[in-house]
């Protein structure tokens, strides 16, 4: 294997992210939801600590989706035929995304409940 410049690792990583965005509907959904959450956080002026929780939750979901995409691609390469272990690998990776997304929703409820309630009360007056 030929030695490559260190900066190429960033290019390859970016290519992986763009591959997932290009090929995975759920990845695009996660990114759109993350952008909406960022807009909501800015609009509601959430605290720095809340931003930390929100950013960790968003990153966790996107990272889980990237790992899921990698697992699916590797399994499809190794086992193009239907096999119980291939199914288990894909289902387990998808389960990780599901758990990360549920965690993100719970964090979102904790962070946005009070600011949204305050905004609704102000609009109703």
């Amino acid at each position: 294997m030929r030695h490559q410049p260190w900066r190429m690792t960033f290019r390859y990583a970016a290519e992986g992210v763009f591959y997932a965005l290009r090929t995975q509907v759920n990845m695009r959904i996660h990114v759109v939801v993350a952008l909406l959450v960022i807009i909501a956080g800015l609009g509601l002026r959430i605290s720095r600590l809340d931003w930390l929780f929100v950013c960790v939750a968003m990153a966790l979901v996107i990272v889980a989706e990237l790992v899921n995409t990698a697992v699916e691609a590797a399994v499809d390469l190794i086992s193009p035929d239907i096999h119980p272990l291939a199914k288990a690998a894909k289902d387990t990776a998808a389960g990780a995304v599901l758990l990360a997304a549920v965690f993100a929703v719970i964090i979102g409820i904790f962070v946005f409940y009070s600011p949204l309630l305050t905004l609704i009360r102000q609009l109703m007056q």
Side-chain angles (χ1 to χ4, degrees):
M1 186 166 167
R2 181 177 80 128
H3 180 69
Q4 305 226 341
W6 187 69
R7 70 181 179 279
M8 292 303 290
T9 60
F10 291 104
R11 179 179 176 188
Y12 299 143
E15 286 176 6
V17 172
F18 290 125
Y19 172 81
L21 282 167
R22 203 172 53 251
T23 63
Q24 304 299 309
V25 173
N26 287 341
M27 180 64 161
R28 291 191 295 271
I29 291 169
H30 294 316
V31 169
V32 167
V33 170
L35 291 173
L36 293 173
V37 167
I38 290 168
I39 291 167
L42 291 171
L44 294 170
R45 300 179 189 265
I46 62 174
S47 71
R48 288 178 61 184
L49 183 60
D50 285 343
W51 273 115
L52 175 66
F53 288 117
V54 166
C55 287
V56 167
M58 289 186 303
L60 181 62
V61 171
I62 290 171
V63 167
E65 187 63 48
L66 288 169
V67 171
N68 182 50
T69 301
V71 168
E72 287 181 355
V75 167
D76 288 346
L77 176 66
I78 295 166
S79 180
D81 298 325
I82 295 173
H83 189 280
L85 290 176
K87 180 183 181 335
K90 287 182 169 189
D91 291 352
T92 303
V97 177
L98 176 63
L99 288 178
V102 168
F103 170 77
V105 168
I106 292 168
I107 293 298
I109 291 168
F110 276 105
V111 168
F112 289 106
Y113 178 79
S114 181
L116 278 173
L117 197 58
T118 301
L119 177 63
I120 291 168
R121 286 182 181 150
Q122 288 174 349
L123 292 174
M124 303 276 290
Q125 290 181 355

Coordinates of all heavy atoms in Angstrom, one line a residue, residues 51-61 103:
W51 N -27.2 23.5 23.9 CA -26.5 23.3 22.6 C -25.6 22.1 22.7 O -25.5 21.4 21.7 CB -25.7 24.6 22.2 CG -26.5 25.6 21.4 CD1 -26.9 26.8 21.8 CD2 -27.2 25.4 20.2 NE1 -27.6 27.4 20.9 CE2 -27.9 26.6 19.9 CE3 -27.2 24.3 19.3 CZ2 -28.6 26.8 18.7 CZ3 -28.0 24.5 18.1 CH2 -28.6 25.7 17.8
L52 N -24.9 22.0 23.8 CA -24.0 20.8 23.9 C -24.8 19.5 23.8 O -24.4 18.6 23.0 CB -23.3 20.9 25.2 CG -22.4 19.6 25.6 CD1 -21.3 19.5 24.6 CD2 -22.0 19.7 27.0
F53 N -25.9 19.4 24.5 CA -26.7 18.2 24.4 C -27.3 18.0 23.0 O -27.3 16.9 22.5 CB -27.9 18.2 25.5 CG -27.4 18.1 26.9 CD1 -27.6 19.1 27.8 CD2 -26.8 16.9 27.3 CE1 -27.1 18.9 29.1 CE2 -26.3 16.7 28.6 CZ -26.5 17.7 29.5
V54 N -27.8 19.0 22.4 CA -28.4 18.9 21.1 C -27.3 18.5 20.1 O -27.6 17.6 19.2 CB -29.1 20.3 20.7 CG1 -29.4 20.3 19.2 CG2 -30.3 20.5 21.5
C55 N -26.2 19.1 20.1 CA -25.1 18.8 19.2 C -24.6 17.3 19.3 O -24.4 16.6 18.4 CB -23.9 19.8 19.3 SG -24.3 21.4 18.6
V56 N -24.5 16.9 20.6 CA -24.1 15.5 20.8 C -25.2 14.6 20.3 O -24.8 13.6 19.6 CB -23.8 15.2 22.3 CG1 -23.7 13.8 22.6 CG2 -22.6 16.0 22.8
A57 N -26.4 14.9 20.5 CA -27.5 14.0 20.0 C -27.5 14.0 18.5 O -27.6 12.9 17.9 CB -28.8 14.5 20.5
M58 N -27.4 15.1 17.8 CA -27.4 15.2 16.4 C -26.2 14.4 15.8 O -26.3 13.6 14.8 CB -27.3 16.6 15.9 CG -28.6 17.4 16.1 SD -28.7 19.0 15.3 CE -27.3 19.8 16.0
A59 N -25.0 14.6 16.4 CA -23.8 13.9 15.9 C -23.9 12.4 16.1 O -23.6 11.6 15.2 CB -22.6 14.4 16.7
L60 N -24.5 12.0 17.2 CA -24.7 10.6 17.5 C -25.6 9.9 16.4 O -25.2 8.8 15.9 CB -25.3 10.4 18.9 CG -25.5 8.9 19.3 CD1 -24.2 8.2 19.4 CD2 -26.2 8.9 20.7
V61 N -26.6 10.6 16.0 CA -27.5 10.0 15.0 C -26.8 10.0 13.7 O -26.9 8.9 13.0 CB -28.8 10.9 14.9 CG1 -29.7 10.4 13.7 CG2 -29.6 10.8 16.2
F103 N -32.9 8.6 21.4 CA -32.2 9.4 22.3 C -32.2 10.8 21.9 O -32.4 11.7 22.8 CB -30.7 8.9 22.4 CG -29.8 9.8 23.2 CD1 -29.8 9.8 24.6 CD2 -28.9 10.6 22.5 CE1 -29.0 10.6 25.3 CE2 -28.0 11.5 23.2 CZ -28.1 11.5 24.6

